């Protein structure tokens, strides 16, 4: 809707359950001095850590590419992403089938498939205010990975390796060790 009704050069998307650090917009805007950049994303910090589900999400499902600036990424996280409007229009805008999950992955893949450059800067920070129960976290993770799989498949990006790697990471690397102890603190 924003893309259809704007004449701005750049659109910034921040989730409704997040708030941006005071310098975030300036950090994003500064990156557009390079005219080759089609999109800039920042990192999400999981601000709520009240429940087991919140702590798990903060550790294993935060939205960001880490603590270093990256010159090329294949997608930006919807929690904090921005794009040049001409780049969005050049690839046909957002695909409405995604609604609330993987629209960021799909857009990033379509832009990078078209030769566009997306960068990630962790200095652009938003604080995610989501809180979860175990059931709402389960639903969120299902939707996140299901629609991410669909976006990768439709954009010809090896979705089965995503699925295999995700299952290994979720079951063996992340979740099982957390059930016992992590960083000297039991999560259960």
């Amino acid at each position: 809707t924003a893309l259809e009704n704007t004449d701005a050069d750049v659109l910034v998307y921040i989730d409704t359950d997040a708030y941006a650090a005071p310098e975030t917009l300036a950090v994003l805007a500064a990156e557009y001095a390079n005219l080759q950049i089609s999109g800039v994303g920042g990192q999400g910090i999981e601000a709520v850590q009240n429940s087991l589900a919140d702590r798990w999400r903060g550790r294993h499902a935060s939205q960001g590419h880490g603590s270093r600036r990256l010159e090329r990424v294949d997608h930006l996280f919807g929690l904090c992403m921005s794009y040049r409007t001409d780049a969005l229009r050049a690839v046909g805008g957002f695909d409405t089938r995604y609604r609330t999950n993987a629209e960021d992955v799909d857009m990033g893949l379509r832009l990078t498939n078209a030769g566009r450059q997306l960068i990630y800067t962790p200095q652009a920070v938003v604080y995610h205010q989501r809180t979860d129960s175990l059931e709402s976290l389960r639903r969120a993770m299902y939707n996140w990975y299901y629609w991410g799989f669909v976006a990768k498949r439709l954009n010809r990006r090896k979705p089965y390796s995503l699925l295999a790697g995700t299952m290994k990471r979720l079951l063996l690397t992340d979740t099982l060790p957390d059930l016992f102890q992590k960083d000297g603190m039991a999560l259960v």
Side-chain angles (χ1 to χ4, degrees):
T1 301
L3 181 59
E4 294 170 2
N5 295 290
T6 190
D7 58 0
D9 293 331
V10 173
L11 286 175
V12 176
Y13 298 89
I14 296 174
D15 278 7
T16 58
D17 60 352
Y19 67 91
E23 66 280 357
T24 294
L25 292 179
V27 169
L28 294 172
E31 297 288 355
Y32 287 102
N34 178 343
L35 298 178
Q36 300 304 307
I37 303 300
S38 291
V40 181
Q43 77 169 311
I45 305 291
E46 295 296 330
V48 179
Q49 298 287 302
N50 296 331
S51 69
L52 172 63
D54 295 336
R55 291 188 297 278
W56 188 93
R57 187 187 61 254
R59 241 181 223 170
H60 306 298
S62 63
Q63 297 181 52
H65 291 292
S67 60
R68 291 187 353 237
R69 184 180 181 281
L70 301 173
E71 286 287 327
R72 293 200 178 273
V73 293
D74 67 357
H75 77 280
L76 306 171
F77 288 91
L79 194 62
C80 179
M81 62 186 183
S82 64
Y83 300 100
R84 290 190 191 277
T85 53
D86 65 339
L88 293 174
R89 290 182 177 126
V91 296
F94 286 96
D95 185 333
T96 58
R97 87 180 86 193
Y98 294 103
R99 299 182 40 85
T100 62
N101 283 282
E103 77 288 348
D104 48 1
V105 174
D106 177 68
M107 179 53 68
L109 296 176
R110 287 192 290 130
L111 286 167
T112 57
N113 286 345
R116 302 289 186 132
Q117 184 178 355
L118 306 177
I119 66 169
Y120 167 75
T121 178
Q123 290 74 31
V125 175
V126 298
Y127 296 94
H128 199 199
Q129 300 299 298
R130 182 180 173 110
T131 186
D132 271 309
S133 66
L134 291 174
E135 177 57 22
S136 68
L137 177 63
R138 184 199 62 77
R139 281 192 316 270
M141 292 297 94
Y142 172 83
N143 285 329
W144 204 20
Y145 287 107
Y146 173 81
W147 287 106
F149 177 86
V150 169
K152 288 197 176 239
R153 183 175 51 82
L154 292 176
N155 286 285
R156 296 176 172 83
R157 290 287 185 100
K158 300 181 182 178
Y160 294 101
S161 64
L162 168 73
L163 181 62
T166 298
M167 295 310 293
K168 176 184 175 269
R169 186 177 60 81
L170 286 175
L171 295 176
L172 300 177
T173 309
D174 292 349
T175 305
L176 286 178
D178 277 354
L179 291 175
F180 300 103
Q181 195 168 32
K182 184 87 172 187
D183 298 331
M185 179 178 80
L187 292 177
V188 290

